[in-house]
Amino acid sequence: MTARRALTAAAAGTVAGVTAYGLYRGLKHSNRALVATEYRLRSERVPEAFEGFRIAHISDLQSEYFGAEQRDLLEMVRNGNPDLIAITGDLVDRNHTDFMAALKAVSGFLKIAPVYYVNGNHELQIRQTRIHPFYEELKQLGVHVMLDRCEQFERDGSHINIMGVAETSVYAAKEIGWELGTRFESAVLLEKLRDICEEKDSAFTIMLTHEPQYLTDYATTNVDVILSGHAHGGQFRLPNGQGLYSPGQGVLPKLTSGFHIEGRSALLVSRGLGNSVFPFRLNNRPEVVFLTLKR
């Protein structure tokens, strides 16, 4: 190789390296650049006292930080002025578990509004001797830990129901399904949903659950709103908004973001905040969802 060719090759390698590094930095920055997405739900079932009621929906933090001490995340939620903060699982990550990242976020949320939490598949895959003390600490902080239970949220003499479906119940349906030679045994989840519904009345109801792909089963309860995450927006999103892959849904998943209607129920999927198996998102900034209830 001549000196000129060697110099050209070296220059090309340098340019490629700089380009790759620039792409890496750009992706890393975009994966920390939060976006707030606003939705409204109009329903005649919304009580008059809950006209304009705002919910901040947080999902899939995955032990990540957004600013020092979660400053950026807390600022975005605070600026959204929510009346309730709903967390739909995967606060911590099973692969790089950092409970402090979750606790810093939750402690800050509690200074803004009441916090309701349901777990996700990552919490379920952390040893019980580690995760159960975490649940207890959340409760001691004042978080409503909604593992297969229902509560009333009261406002000005009226109320709505907040209902949580634990990831344990979803996994039980998966495990029995595999034993029976199917992927999922709906009857197992449906029985658990009926049990939880016995705790609620006929008022407007919000369900918190982690995995969105079981919408048809959730909707049998006729709850008004279902909040979930898990899909990470499809991780890599095409320009038309189509996600490429989601756990539990596979390639080109349908339920990765926004509203989806099934019967009387409206599912609202958050694209979530953090990452797990895939270290980066593409065309898919981490999201805080705000939902306003309207009559």
Side-chain angles (χ1 to χ4, degrees), residues 55 57 86 88 206-210 225-229 267-268 291:
I55 301 165
H57 178 199
T88 55
I206 299 172
M207 175 191 289
L208 311 183
T209 187
H210 184 60
V225 182
I226 304 162
L227 302 180
S228 71
L267 168 70
L268 179 54
L291 172 64

Side-chain angles (χ1 to χ4, degrees), residues 162-189:
I162 310 294
M163 171 180 169
V165 180
E167 187 71 356
T168 310
S169 298
V170 175
Y171 261 64
K174 292 181 182 182
E175 291 168 359
I176 292 176
W178 280 111
E179 292 174 4
L180 297 176
T182 63
R183 293 185 60 187
F184 190 81
E185 188 61 27
S186 289
V188 175
L189 179 58

Side-chain angles (χ1 to χ4, degrees), residues 27-35 57-67 70 73 87-96 98 101-102 105 109 121-123 210 229-237 245-247 256 270-282 284-289:
L27 286 171
K28 186 175 181 180
H29 172 73
S30 68
N31 278 245
R32 290 292 182 274
L34 292 167
V35 62
H57 178 199
I58 305 293
S59 193
D60 302 283
L61 181 64
Q62 307 279 169
S63 294
E64 299 285 357
Y65 282 90
F66 291 86
Q70 302 289 15
L73 175 58
I87 302 175
T88 55
D90 286 1
L91 264 177
V92 291
D93 190 281
R94 70 178 185 270
N95 298 312
H96 53 95
D98 184 345
F109 293 155
N121 59 295
H122 278 259
E123 285 96 339
H210 184 60
H230 185 60
H232 293 261
Q235 200 72 39
F236 307 124
R237 292 174 72 83
Y245 179 82
S246 168
T256 64
S270 168
R271 298 199 307 273
L273 294 166
N275 302 310
S276 182
V277 178
F278 295 106
F280 292 114
R281 297 163 173 243
L282 185 63
N284 179 22
R285 287 169 58 184
E287 175 183 57
V288 175
V289 168

Side-chain angles (χ1 to χ4, degrees), residues 209-238:
T209 187
H210 184 60
E211 301 190 38
Q213 65 268 27
Y214 305 114
L215 170 59
T216 299
D217 296 314
Y218 302 145
T220 62
T221 63
N222 289 324
V223 296
D224 298 276
V225 182
I226 304 162
L227 302 180
S228 71
H230 185 60
H232 293 261
Q235 200 72 39
F236 307 124
R237 292 174 72 83
L238 300 176

